[in-house]
């Protein structure tokens, strides 16, 4: 339980963790071998620890369906949680402190809003290497890549989270019909991601009507701290939303 | 632009030696070994040494060869390694047909059964495919471009195995890339299996147009808790689709059904599995020793009907100092060829060492659940006898002292390939100062 007196990192007024104590560099190297535990396979992950209220369903039927890759401070997940209260969702974040912040935030929200936010959690991991360790084939229905690290230099392009080879893995964990959402404020990166998705035979773009009809699309630019910052500064965003399709033989 | 050399003798390339590799032609027409950058072939049918002909721009290999493989139809042979060249040879004329440039050093190679594609894996985890259409053995094709097929995110690929359904051949793996055939001709179920140092095995559908990339992942075989060092397929007439066997640094050999990616059985043996070779229903494993455990070869039986491993036996009559670095055998699987050896350590007085030993005793009819008794074939009874030993080893006999001296080097080189280096924080900071990922000038 949170001890507001003893733990100054939690704000006394809102009960939520204060970002001031969880500051971290914006950038983390996805190529380095970090030292956090990696599950051997999806069946080795105890999801009931993440979703205690759903623990009996999680062990038999209910599976995580939404994944926010590089969830940052958790803005999107928190918004999605109330929008889709019956869906289990998880955030993956590489930076230690930031993942810690999200965890504290979720715990605080669960305490102050009984019955809510039970369907959202976070895990600290390198999603570029270990996605197959967490999710089974065709498990996810939505994957989010919001404002990923642009890695401007050409020699660093291979560190980008959307790349032709990694899309194979994302297509593997997404079910047919599942949707991948990407948004960025860097035009070159937006072009890159759109090109990668266009060229991949297992993804097709959503039509304008489908984009209008999808409630998650609106959240892309408004729900995250990064998105709000871009809006404040009057910047432009570039989104690419694609559906996972079956490979035509 | 010079790379600054970190102090403390950490110049790994100098100290690194390459383990010797052996590969046997599917119908035992020839035997090929490599030690360092030297590729030596002996023609068993003609009972004579082979002289390789290479008239491509870059003749022969200039640096350690890391992977060799015969194509399953026996017509092609591929070699590649640290010199970033993938060479395709014709096994009739032993002439180099094609020389493909890779951007990075190559860790594994394979040829498809129909001889139309060569795949190779580089140290960045990308598997490339080269189209060999139009190669009829007489021309020399240079400057063939490879297309990327699939990738393991930044993890060295240790073994590549392909399962395509044309023809029925057995094959063997020793940190190499292989394609195996199955017998039925069907458009589905064509897979390529890759394994890496991050404990993962990926099964991907091998597409009709490989040059467009292999995008459809069939499954991941997850379960190993250490680097996966080798892969092999086990199949018989009753089980044509076969099962995957993998060896790993977690001291286990595991049996998988690749379609769903499920683990069927695990065989522990208390020492790290380095190489897996398949023979009928038995799996021979050569163990990597970095803790004082069993050096040598282990024979494991596998029952495909119950999908479990059976008895395990250590082959102890090879001698304590003989640490096999590679195993090979032909389709008929009567003899198991083993080799131990390392290339010449830079700046040392020792020459490169290779020693070939052959084991026999794999008879077709053995009682169920019993493992065959294997015996080491005497030098003068080895196919090709002295001529073969002279060509492949460089000398007819190998001195015991030379063995022992090289044994340490062998162990180190095998471990370096598979186990990730753990640096202290200070060393890591120091390494960051000398960047080596700048683009090379074209």
């Amino acid at each position: 339980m949170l001890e507001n007196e003893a733990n100054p990192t939690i704000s006394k007024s809102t009960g939520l963790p204060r970002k001031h104590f969880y500051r971290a560099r914006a950038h983390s190297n996805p190529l380095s071998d970090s030292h956090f535990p990696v599950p051997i396979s999806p069946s080795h992950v105890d999801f009931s620890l993440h979703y205690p209220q759903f623990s009996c369903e999680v062990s038999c039927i209910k599976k995580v369906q939404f994944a926010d890759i590089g969830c940052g401070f958790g803005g999107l997940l928190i918004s999605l949680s109330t929008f889709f209260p019956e869906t289990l969702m998880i955030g993956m974040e590489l930076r230690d402190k930031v993942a810690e912040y999200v965890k504290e935030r979720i715990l605080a929200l669960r305490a102050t809003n009984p019955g809510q936010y039970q369907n959202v959690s976070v895990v600290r991991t390198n999603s570029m290497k270990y996605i197959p360790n967490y999710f089974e084939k065709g498990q996810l229905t939505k994957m989010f890549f919001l404002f990923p690290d642009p890695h401007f230099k050409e020699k660093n392009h291979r560190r980008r989270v959307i790349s032709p080879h990694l899309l194979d893995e994302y297509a593997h964990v997404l079910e047919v019909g599942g949707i991948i959402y990407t948004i960025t404020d860097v035009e070159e990166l937006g072009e890159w991601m759109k090109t990668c998705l266009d060229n991949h035979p297992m993804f097709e773009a959503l039509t304008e009507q489908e984009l209008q009809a999808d409630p998650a699309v609106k959240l892309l630019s408004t729900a995250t701290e990064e998105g709000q910052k871009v809006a404040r500064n009057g910047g432009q965003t570039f989104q690419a939303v694609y559906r996972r399709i079956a490979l035509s033989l | 632009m010079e790379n600054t050399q970190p102090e403390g003798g950490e110049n790994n390339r100098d100290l690194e030696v390459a383990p010797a590799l052996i590969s046997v032609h599917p119908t035992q027409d020839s035997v090929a070994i490599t030690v360092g950058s030297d590729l030596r072939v002996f023609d068993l049918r003609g009972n004579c040494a082979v002289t390789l002909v290479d008239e491509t721009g870059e003749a022969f290999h200039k640096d350690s060869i890391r992977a060799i493989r015969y194509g399953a139809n026996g017509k092609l042979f591929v070699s590649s390694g640290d010199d970033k060249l993938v060479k395709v040879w014709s096994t009739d004329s032993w002439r180099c047909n094609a020389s493909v440039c890779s951007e990075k050093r190559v860790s594994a190679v394979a040829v498809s059964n129909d001889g139309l594609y060569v795949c190779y894996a580089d140290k960045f985890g990308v598997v490339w495919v080269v189209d060999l259409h139009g190669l009829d053995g007489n021309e020399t094709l240079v400057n063939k471009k490879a297309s990327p097929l699939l990738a393991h995110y930044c993890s060295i690929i240790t073994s590549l195995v392909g399962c395509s359904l044309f023809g029925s051949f057995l094959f063997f793996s020793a940190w190499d890339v292989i394609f195996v055939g199955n017998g039925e001709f069907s458009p589905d179920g064509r897979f390529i299996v890759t394994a890496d140092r991050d404990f993962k095995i990926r099964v991907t559908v091998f597409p009709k147009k490989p040059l467009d990339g292999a995008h459809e992942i069939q499954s991941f075989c997850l379960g190993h808790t250490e680097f996966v060092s080798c892969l092999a397929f086990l199949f018989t007439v009753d089980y044509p689709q076969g099962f995957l066997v993998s060896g790993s640094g977690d001291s286990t050999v595991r049996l998988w059904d690749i379609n769903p990616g499920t683990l069927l059985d695990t065989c522990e043996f208390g020492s790290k599995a380095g190489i897996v070779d398949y023979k009928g229903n038995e799996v021979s494993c050569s163990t990597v020793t970095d803790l004082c455990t069993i050096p040598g070869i282990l024979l494991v039986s596998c029952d495909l009907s119950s999908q479990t491993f059976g008895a395990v036996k250590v082959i102890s009559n090879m001698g304590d100092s003989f640490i096999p670095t590679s195993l090979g055998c032909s389709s008929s699987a009567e003899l198991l060829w083993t080799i131990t050896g390392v290339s010449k350590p830079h700046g040392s007085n020792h020459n490169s060492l290779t020693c070939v030993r052959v084991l026999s005793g794999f008879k077709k009819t053995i009682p169920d659940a019993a493992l065959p008794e294997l015996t080491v074939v005497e030098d003068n009874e080895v196919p090709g006898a002295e001529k073969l030993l002279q060509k492949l080893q460089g000398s007819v006999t190998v001195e015991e002292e030379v063995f022992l001296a090289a044994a340490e080097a062998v162990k180190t080189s095998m471990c370096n390939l598979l186990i990730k280096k753990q640096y202290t924080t200070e060393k890591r900071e120091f390494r960051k100062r000398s960047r080596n990922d700048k683009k090379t000038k074209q």
Side-chain angles (χ1 to χ4, degrees), chain A residues 7-28:
Chain A
N7 192 350
T9 55
I10 309 290
S11 153
K12 291 204 173 82
S13 48
T14 59
L16 294 172
R18 294 170 63 194
K19 270 203 205 148
H20 175 65
F21 294 97
Y22 294 91
R23 283 281 167 237
R25 290 179 65 227
H27 176 84
S28 188

Side-chain angles (χ1 to χ4, degrees), chain B residues 86-371:
Chain B
V86 178
K87 287 186 176 289
V88 183
W89 309 81
S90 153
T91 54
D92 295 320
S93 58
W94 285 104
R95 172 186 216 95
C96 179
N97 283 341
S99 202
V100 183
C101 290
S102 164
E103 284 167 17
K104 305 281 174 202
R105 290 186 274 162
V106 176
S107 51
V109 287
V111 185
S112 66
N113 287 353
D114 43 24
L116 294 175
Y117 297 102
V118 166
C119 281
Y120 63 90
D122 68 20
K123 298 242 160 182
F124 264 26
V126 183
V127 178
W128 302 82
V129 64
V130 182
D131 184 355
L132 295 178
H133 282 92
L135 203 62
D136 64 5
N138 286 336
E139 312 147 18
T140 310
L141 260 122
V142 285
N143 301 327
K144 264 283 188 187
K145 277 293 291 173
S147 313
L149 187 69
L150 57 92
H152 285 233
Y153 191 67
C154 295
S155 182
I156 295 182
I157 291 187
T158 51
S159 176
L160 254 182
V161 150
C163 171
S164 87
L165 301 183
F166 301 122
S168 59
F169 300 114
L170 306 179
F171 70 90
F172 307 93
S173 75
W175 290 313
D176 282 282
V177 176
I178 296 93
F179 277 79
V180 70
N182 253 341
E184 271 93 9
F185 195 101
S186 100
D188 318 315
R190 294 175 64 192
F191 302 117
I192 176 168
V193 183
T194 46
D196 63 20
R197 283 200 324 190
D198 282 308
F199 330 158
K200 291 211 285 285
I201 298 169
R202 167 175 158 169
V203 181
T204 319
V205 176
F206 192 72
K208 289 198 183 61
K209 292 200 209 155
L211 297 180
D212 291 341
H215 295 289
E216 193 175 348
I217 301 177
Q218 178 63 28
S219 65
F220 279 93
C221 295
L222 301 174
H224 278 296
T225 53
E226 267 295 342
F227 58 84
V228 181
S229 52
C230 45
L231 299 172
F233 264 99
L234 277 187
F235 58 90
T236 60
V237 175
D238 298 325
Y239 299 94
Q241 78 281 8
F243 298 97
L244 182 72
V245 178
S246 58
S248 158
D250 62 6
S251 319
T252 63
V253 170
R254 291 176 197 249
L255 186 66
W256 312 85
D257 182 356
I258 56 171
N259 238 306
T262 38
L263 175 62
L264 299 170
D265 197 17
T266 307
C267 174
E268 308 253 351
F269 40 98
S271 53
K272 299 181 188 238
I275 302 158
V276 170
D277 234 334
Y278 155 67
K279 218 176 233 337
N281 274 345
E282 287 103 40
V283 174
S284 312
C285 312
S286 175
T287 55
V288 172
T289 55
D290 63 344
L291 316 162
C292 298
T293 47
I294 320 160
I297 303 188
L298 287 157
L299 197 58
V300 182
S301 75
C302 181
D303 184 353
L304 293 184
S305 52
S306 66
Q307 297 167 359
T308 54
F309 287 113
V312 178
K313 185 166 78 165
V314 179
I315 299 175
S316 48
N317 46 3
M318 306 275 306
D320 282 337
S321 45
F322 188 92
I323 304 169
T325 48
S326 179
L327 307 175
C329 60
S330 66
S331 311
S332 57
E334 282 150 15
L335 300 172
L336 179 66
W337 296 73
T338 70
I339 187 172
T340 187
V342 279
S343 56
K344 177 173 184 301
H346 186 84
S348 96
N349 291 331
H350 300 290
N351 284 325
S352 64
L353 157 76
T354 33
C355 180
V356 176
R357 292 245 171 95
V358 182
L359 293 168
S360 73
F362 293 98
K363 295 186 195 21
K364 294 274 162 62
T365 52
I366 42 163
D368 287 334
L371 290 173

Side-chain angles (χ1 to χ4, degrees), chain A residues 5-101:
Chain A
E5 273 67 50
N7 192 350
T9 55
I10 309 290
S11 153
K12 291 204 173 82
S13 48
T14 59
L16 294 172
R18 294 170 63 194
K19 270 203 205 148
H20 175 65
F21 294 97
Y22 294 91
R23 283 281 167 237
R25 290 179 65 227
H27 176 84
S28 188
N29 186 356
L31 297 179
S32 67
D33 299 318
S34 310
H35 304 286
F36 46 77
V38 178
I40 299 296
S41 76
S43 46
H44 285 82
V45 186
D46 188 357
F47 281 110
S48 62
L49 290 177
H50 287 276
Y51 311 102
Q53 202 168 75
F54 289 99
S55 61
C56 36
E57 289 117 315
V58 152
S59 41
C60 14
I61 13 147
K62 222 173 168 75
K63 292 200 193 288
V64 172
Q65 288 185 301
F66 295 177
D68 184 355
I69 310 297
C71 63
F73 291 95
L76 177 71
L77 284 171
I78 305 297
S79 310
L80 282 174
S81 170
T82 43
F83 231 107
F84 299 90
E86 287 303 306
T87 311
L88 294 182
M89 52 191 79
I90 199 160
M92 302 185 122
E93 175 55 51
L94 182 59
R95 295 168 289 176
D96 197 5
K97 288 218 187 77
V98 180
E100 190 62 36
Y101 173 87

Side-chain angles (χ1 to χ4, degrees), chain A residues 30 69 125-132 158-162 166 169-170, chain B residues 153 200:
Chain A
I69 310 297
T125 187
N126 183 342
S127 57
M128 293 164 88
K129 283 192 179 178
Y130 302 119
I131 270 192
R158 49 193 281 262
R159 301 188 196 179
R160 288 183 165 171
V161 72
I162 297 284
L166 282 170
E169 290 197 4
Y170 304 150
Chain B
Y153 191 67
K200 291 211 285 285

Side-chain angles (χ1 to χ4, degrees), chain B residues 351-429:
Chain B
N351 284 325
S352 64
L353 157 76
T354 33
C355 180
V356 176
R357 292 245 171 95
V358 182
L359 293 168
S360 73
F362 293 98
K363 295 186 195 21
K364 294 274 162 62
T365 52
I366 42 163
D368 287 334
L371 290 173
E373 279 300 317
L374 296 181
T375 49
V376 179
V377 174
E378 293 296 321
D379 281 353
N380 52 6
E381 283 170 36
V382 164
E386 269 144 26
K387 280 201 209 168
L388 176 135
L389 294 172
Q390 179 66 40
K391 169 69 183 174
L392 298 183
Q393 291 179 168
S395 63
V396 178
T397 54
V398 182
E399 302 297 323
E400 192 68 22
E401 304 88 59
V402 183
F403 258 124
L404 293 168
E408 276 309 307
V410 169
K411 284 191 210 171
T412 320
S413 71
M414 306 250 281
C415 293
N416 279 346
L417 281 174
L418 296 171
I419 299 172
K420 281 187 214 185
K421 294 191 174 59
Q422 298 290 344
Y423 295 107
T424 60
T425 343
E426 302 89 43
K427 216 152 195 200
R428 225 183 281 163
E429 290 307 313

